[in-house]
Amino acid sequence: MSQLLSRRSVLSSLPGALLAGMLPGCAGAPKPVNSPSAPGGLRLGASSPFPADFAWGVATAAYQIEGAASEDGRGPSIWDKFSKQPGATFEGQTGDVACDHYHRYREDVELMRTLGARAYRFSISWSRVLPEGRGQVNEKGLDFYSRLVDELAHAGITPYATLFHWDYPSALFDKGGWLERDTADWFAEYASIVVKRLGDRVTRWMTLNEPNVVITLGHVRGIHAPGLKLPPEKAIVAAHHFMRAHGKAVQAIRAAARPATHPEVGVAFAFAGYYPATSSKEDLAAAEEHTFVSGERALFSPAWWLDPMLRGSYPADGLSRWGKALPENFERDLDEIHQPQEFLGLNVYWSDPVRRGADGRPEELKRPPGYPRAANDWQPITPQALYYAPRFAHGRYQLPIYIMENGLSVRDQLFLDGSIHDPQRVDYLQRALMRLADALRDGVPVRGYFHWSLLDNFEWSDGFKQRFGLVYVDFTSQKRVPKDSFAFYRDVIQSNGARALAPTTVAADVVSP
Ligand code: BGP
């Protein structure tokens, strides 16, 4: 079942209670809108607003690229187990070998050096470091990350490390996983071990990647590991523990890091916000308001997760719907969850149009038939998300923003001339960066952009079917071939963004706003 269900169809297939009030209210065709500072149509020679120290980067995650699943003492994670269940992933594919990055990391760092990447976001496999999730440390596992970090230093690339990118240790899942309150302490212990070993060279840390996706797809819909189909009331408890794990890990990172290294800590959140259907002030306000509604869709919504972490309280609308499901005395945990962070990481792939409805409430709109989409179907082509997500997130949380993931799945193939031509990705990347530039021009402090992904990789329940890389990977030979988008992004980085804003005729209306 699972691989046929697109992961982003999540919102339309949640259980009844979560679904109510979430479907598009109307099929009215929205008028094209342009971002406030950048009218569509012809753009000529816009100047680059990207700061000189902008973190131009690429992103990956451990289980999706490393392989070496049972080598050098690594313990199993829930993804090792889940991907081996019949029907769980596309064609039964697993991350056992993936991109074999564990053995080829030097080659991959060299690719990044050629790209001119200034920063690399990768994740650490918890069960490679602690095969049982806690207790005995696997030094060989830590050594791998230490070698990787040294290699990055040689190449002049700044490491941005994520401590948890979905591969929860199986041994701890057997002890209750995110439903168990102690999971927060287990995670903080692990964070401390990693930071003690790598913190002399790694100073940018993310606690969690997309906890809202883990809970929604892995604990409610069962299409991601661990494959649970919990009632939403239980998932609310698991989400609360996730937030406590975040808070405790932030404290553990700061305690384990040497203060002189000035560690910066944040979270990477799947930020699926909304954009205004027209350029009217009313629609802009409706889109912003709707982005932070939690209520019925609490488990996926930014406010449900980020308000406790960054403002110290659950949002009122979500609380009135789900308050009874929260653990007793949950208020006592809020100080622990609410920790100072240096930045907010957003993973931005798409967003939906909203206008101010006739009844004064925000109203979601359907897209016109034939609206362009990525190869994975869940991602409509909406580069304007790169303007509105950082703008709205910064407006509410007042933190510097990083785009920690953004990219496009394309049906890439090797052409007769030996190259991988991926004009869709090049076009998308340019449009996305133009919108991000608009956000910077409008004063949003965006500190970096990480393209998902460096390499084609194991895309969770879609296996190797979805290709997101700037580098094509032949999964039989493990040969890497940089795509046309690699060369484009290299030029973008070299020109500090100017290449993406170079004189171009933009058919803004092709993808509406
Ligand atoms: C994000 C994940 C990434 C990556 C990306 C692409 O949600 O953080 O790990 O997988 O999405 O999406 P998918 O793998 O669903 O195609």
Side-chain angles (χ1 to χ4, degrees), residues 10 21 36 48 54 102 129 157 180 189 207 216 315-316 336 357 374 432-433 443 459 490 502 508 511:
V10 54
S48 173
F54 192 74
Y102 189 76
V129 173
I157 298 168
E180 167 58 51
E189 284 163 25
T207 53
T216 315
E336 193 174 61
L433 292 176
E459 289 290 351
R490 184 195 57 212
V511 292

Side-chain angles (χ1 to χ4, degrees), residues 89-121:
T89 65
F90 176 69
E91 293 183 349
Q93 292 162 357
T94 75
D96 278 359
V97 177
C99 306
D100 195 31
H101 171 78
Y102 189 76
H103 299 112
R104 295 168 196 262
Y105 71 93
R106 286 202 175 87
E107 184 187 342
D108 294 337
V109 172
E110 179 54 23
L111 279 167
M112 285 187 257
R113 207 187 51 74
T114 315
L115 178 67
R118 298 177 182 173
Y120 175 45
R121 176 178 177 228

Side-chain angles (χ1 to χ4, degrees), residues 22 30 38 126 137 201 204 222 267 269 336 352 386 404 445 448 484:
M22 293 167 51
W126 186 344
V137 174
R201 289 156 290 156
R204 312 290 155 92
V267 68
F269 192 79
E336 193 174 61
D352 289 325
L386 275 290
M404 285 300 185
D484 287 356

Side-chain angles (χ1 to χ4, degrees), residues 7-8 64 165-166 209-210 347 349 378 405 452 459-460 468:
R7 49 176 295 195
R8 260 52 171 213
Q64 296 182 268
H165 199 126
W166 303 4
N209 180 70
E210 302 190 348
N347 295 357
Y349 286 89
W378 58 253
E405 283 182 29
W452 183 271
E459 289 290 351
W460 308 114
F468 274 89

Side-chain angles (χ1 to χ4, degrees), residues 326-463:
L326 280 163
E328 218 177 300
N329 298 322
F330 72 88
E331 295 93 343
R332 289 193 200 149
D333 297 330
L334 288 169
D335 282 349
E336 193 174 61
I337 292 170
H338 180 208
Q339 294 297 319
Q341 292 183 42
E342 279 73 21
F343 63 85
L344 171 58
L346 307 178
N347 295 357
V348 182
Y349 286 89
W350 95 113
S351 72
D352 289 325
V354 154
R355 72 177 172 202
R356 182 69 71 197
D359 61 359
R361 294 171 53 194
E363 179 181 51
E364 291 184 28
L365 300 173
K366 273 191 189 157
R367 292 171 209 288
Y371 192 92
R373 284 180 179 271
N376 51 24
D377 287 339
W378 58 253
Q379 187 183 1
I381 308 294
T382 50
Q384 57 272 58
L386 275 290
Y387 174 81
Y388 291 102
R391 175 178 165 156
F392 292 164
H394 175 68
R396 190 170 178 99
Y397 301 113
Q398 295 294 305
L399 280 175
I401 302 289
Y402 281 92
I403 302 301
M404 285 300 185
E405 283 182 29
N406 167 252
L408 190 78
S409 167
V410 174
R411 289 278 147 86
D412 294 312
Q413 67 186 67
L414 196 59
F415 281 63
L416 273 174
D417 65 3
S419 308
I420 314 284
H421 303 298
D422 55 344
Q424 285 91 342
R425 184 173 291 108
V426 171
D427 185 75
Y428 175 74
L429 178 53
Q430 178 162 13
R431 286 174 185 272
L433 292 176
M434 289 166 79
R435 295 305 182 145
L436 194 61
D438 290 340
L440 277 154
R441 285 193 194 97
D442 284 355
V444 182
V446 184
R447 296 280 154 79
Y449 170 89
F450 290 77
H451 192 77
W452 183 271
S453 179
L454 171 67
L455 303 168
D456 292 339
N457 63 58
F458 175 77
E459 289 290 351
W460 308 114
S461 38
D462 276 343

